[in-house]
Amino acid sequence: MKVAFTPRSRTLALVFTLASFALGPHPVSGGAFLFAGEGNGPNVIAHPPNYLGNGGTIQVTVCIDPASPHATDMVQPLQNVLATYNQLQATTGNVLTGTNTNIPSGQFDFESVALHEVGHCIGMAHSNIASESGVATNLRDFTKSSDGVQNGNSNEAAHFNLNAGADGIQGSKDDSRGDDVNLFWFRKSDNNPFVIGAVVDTTTYSRNLSDLPASDVFAASGNRHVALSLFGAANTESVMQQGTASREAQRTLTADEVATLRLAMAGVDGVQGTSDDYTFQMVYAGQTTSCNIVVRYDPSYTGFAQCNTSGSFLSSNHIRITSGAIKFNPDYNWFFNSVAAGSTPTRTATPTLTSPPTHSPTWTATRTRTSTPTPSSTRTFTRTQTPTRTRTGTRTGTPTRTPTRTPTAVASATATATATVANLAVSGHVSHFNTGAPVSDVAIVTLLGSAMSSSEGNYSLPGISIAPLVLKASKDGTGGAVDFADALAALDVATALSTMDEVQALACDVSANGAVSAYDAGLILQLAVGALAHAPVASLCGSDWGFLPDPMDVPNQSVIDLEIDAGNCQPGQIAINPLQSSASSQDFVAIPFGDCAGDWDPDGAQALARARTALRLGSAGRGQSSLQVPLYVDTTASGWRGLQATVRYDPRELRPVRTRLDGAARGALLASNDAASGALRLAVASATEIPAGEAPVLMMYFERLPLARRGGLALESAQVR
């Protein structure tokens, strides 16, 4: 449902669909990966160089061999290619031919082919069965697969089952492929390689044909015939589809490539929003051979273009590329685009607007990973990627000049990469949704740069390009915003004692199941004591806070609303396409997930104002090897509903064993956490008032260690209401 929210001057639409779903991976379910197949297994996912399985941002360096022919000519178009991958934007209409390009007749576009080859060197395979299958040229548009287990460990042409189905289109949804094993990761919800969603991971994408929509038979690939005939996307084709023609430009990515890379970026666990997620940054390292991917023209090479890669296993189904080398045949008539990406004087592709790229990952370096995969030095190998092949007769844009050598080449690309940097700045402010307090340490991320909000809640991004700009906010940790009072607020709503507006309900529905319940109150108590690191909704959205865009209007601006729906989270974002001048007041309103009471105070004044004397520890009952400690609530009021406290103990003498509620408090919710040595954190919340009395409300049990003497305990940070 749509919810109107007006914190200042502009109505924001918060989309918060009420739906019920189970926690954990939600089954909804492009592209293929290098090394996947009968040898290593069909489920292999390849990752760029320098990814080791522990999340964060990795850099992939690309350089030009200074001894290579055309070394200087390659610089600008190669930088365009890297900028295109850094932007990671899905487009349609990305195939340009003839006079729609700046390519002279009879020439092959280096930038387009390089976009394809770099894709191989960071982990992507062909999206079609291509020349490596050995099948005839006119049968190579079928979706990427192996030939089936019954045919042995080889992709012999005769072993493939290639039936284009009733529509007669190779690579479409109704292809009958017999026992061929699909290697193409498709979107489960619609099997459409030309759109992309907010969540791209193994919960939304699959290569298992049983996850296809009910009427589909095989995974649809990203070739241009499928694009036009099945999905109405004219002049659109996956960059990783093998084949190019002279005077053909393909310089932007489609949803197929973006989804494939983002699927890999979900990390070894395959789930977006966890500690092993990563982003990558392609960096031009200059004219050298000291980099991850070396590009050169090789006079001894008789093919067209290819990328050779080597890899190392991170786990049984995950491989990282350890090195890459791209080589081109200088005997072809090559065109080198000298125009910086974003300002090419040709018709450009159209951004795919079904959902914005969320390529910034969640829970990066500051998070702890429970089981980081370790690269194995014994399972390393080298693979030469089958070269790119030029298109022939049946394609538009057939070469007007026959090359001096028969190409054994790979797929092309059509790009419009990022723009030249202008002296522009984007700035704004981040404030709490209810108190209006400034929120610091918010990461404002774009594909052109990033910034952190200050202690005053302000951020600034200088030196931004005149290019499509998407601002996304995230924040790690709730900053003390969640305590037992928030659990009480959740219980009040769950028992109909009070109501809250939809924005506050968003803060309160930490389970992300569309309703505020006692279950949310229990999760909030766990957050309050640190027993739960991140709420389910935070893991879903990739941030411990939700952010509502609240910008002042500027030209070409659109707002992408925060949307949580059936196991998916689309973060709130501000898009300016294109940015033409500096923009201020591009603000966000921040919602700490779990802050049901809406009373977050960055200075902690609210906690200090609460009663600290209403709790006391009783006399410890001592046994030979144990200690039993009661907790009392002393209050002059008629009763109480919640408390939060930390009990300090000497870890050399005592070890916490368990806690339990006692007396009139037995029907309440309890959360405890003894992860910090020497500190036992407790929180209690009750839907009804608990009468004050002489009996203890909680019992703590400790084991006395061998050297224990006094077993002293102390109560601190006590709060009750």
Side-chain angles (χ1 to χ4, degrees), residues 188-522:
K188 292 183 184 180
S189 58
D190 55 14
N191 193 18
N192 184 346
F194 303 104
V195 296
I196 192 168
V199 175
V200 179
D201 61 13
T202 55
T203 70
T204 57
Y205 281 73
S206 175
R207 50 150 300 277
N208 189 335
L209 299 181
S210 65
D211 290 327
L212 284 167
S215 60
D216 294 1
V217 178
F218 209 79
S221 74
N223 76 62
R224 64 187 70 187
H225 303 301
V226 170
L228 180 60
S229 301
L230 271 64
F231 300 107
N235 303 312
T236 302
E237 186 166 72
S238 167
V239 166
M240 300 314 296
Q241 177 84 8
Q242 189 188 61
T244 190
S246 66
R247 212 178 190 186
E248 180 177 280
Q250 196 180 5
R251 299 173 182 160
T252 59
L253 304 174
T254 68
D256 183 4
E257 294 79 50
V258 175
T260 304
L261 293 171
R262 285 180 51 195
L263 178 62
M265 288 158 59
V268 175
D269 66 4
V271 179
Q272 180 177 309
T274 56
S275 62
D276 65 350
D277 291 8
Y278 65 91
T279 53
F280 63 86
Q281 181 77 17
M282 307 294 292
V283 177
Y284 176 60
Q287 295 191 31
T288 179
T289 56
S290 298
C291 66
N292 300 126
I293 302 171
V294 181
V295 183
R296 60 171 57 90
Y297 272 86
D298 184 352
S300 66
Y301 174 54
T302 59
F304 182 66
Q306 73 176 29
C307 172
N308 298 339
T309 59
S310 62
S312 175
F313 276 88
L314 291 166
S315 67
S316 58
N317 286 328
H318 290 266
I319 294 172
R320 71 177 176 93
I321 292 172
T322 53
S323 65
I326 300 174
K327 54 187 177 182
F328 295 81
N329 186 339
D331 289 349
Y332 286 92
N333 194 4
W334 292 98
F335 171 72
F336 299 94
N337 182 25
S338 61
V339 182
S343 54
T344 306
T346 61
R347 181 176 65 83
T348 58
T350 304
T352 300
L353 299 178
T354 43
S355 63
T358 52
H359 114 286
S360 205
T362 54
W363 318 144
T364 54
T366 56
R367 306 248 178 199
T368 330
R369 180 183 169 81
T370 53
S371 58
T372 303
T374 344
S376 168
S377 58
T378 57
R379 298 186 69 190
T380 58
F381 52 90
T382 302
R383 164 179 174 149
T384 301
Q385 175 62 33
T386 306
T388 338
R389 184 171 299 278
T390 54
R391 302 190 187 280
T392 54
T394 58
R395 304 284 192 180
T396 55
T398 304
T400 56
R401 167 185 170 278
T402 304
T404 56
R405 295 179 180 175
T406 304
T408 53
V410 184
S412 72
T414 315
T416 311
T418 48
T420 52
V421 175
N423 187 25
L424 303 180
V426 174
S427 60
H429 182 75
V430 187
S431 58
H432 185 264
F433 77 99
N434 192 43
T435 66
V439 183
S440 63
D441 299 319
V442 175
I444 307 295
V445 179
T446 77
L447 296 176
L448 303 173
S450 62
M452 297 291 285
S453 63
S454 67
S455 58
E456 292 77 29
N458 300 320
Y459 75 89
S460 179
L461 289 157
I464 297 295
S465 303
I466 306 174
L469 179 70
V470 178
L471 298 168
K472 176 184 173 183
S474 65
K475 181 173 170 65
D476 188 17
T478 55
V482 181
D483 63 13
F484 77 103
D486 298 303
L488 294 177
L491 288 173
D492 285 347
V493 173
T495 57
L497 290 176
S498 67
T499 60
M500 56 180 59
D501 63 33
E502 288 83 356
V503 177
Q504 192 172 355
L506 176 63
C508 211
D509 181 19
V510 292
S511 63
N513 66 1
V516 178
S517 67
Y519 178 49
D520 293 294

Side-chain angles (χ1 to χ4, degrees), residues 608-671:
L608 295 176
R610 291 180 181 145
R612 298 172 58 90
T613 58
L615 291 178
R616 64 178 174 88
L617 295 176
S619 299
R622 297 174 183 268
Q624 186 174 1
S625 60
S626 64
L627 194 68
Q628 178 178 315
V629 184
L631 181 69
Y632 293 86
V633 174
D634 295 331
T635 176
T636 56
S638 59
W640 62 281
R641 289 188 53 203
L643 64 86
Q644 188 164 333
T646 299
V647 177
R648 292 286 177 184
Y649 62 91
D650 189 338
R652 297 169 299 180
E653 298 193 12
L654 299 175
R655 183 178 67 84
V657 176
R658 68 186 178 99
T659 58
R660 67 172 176 83
L661 294 169
D662 200 15
R666 285 178 179 171
L669 299 173
L670 167 67

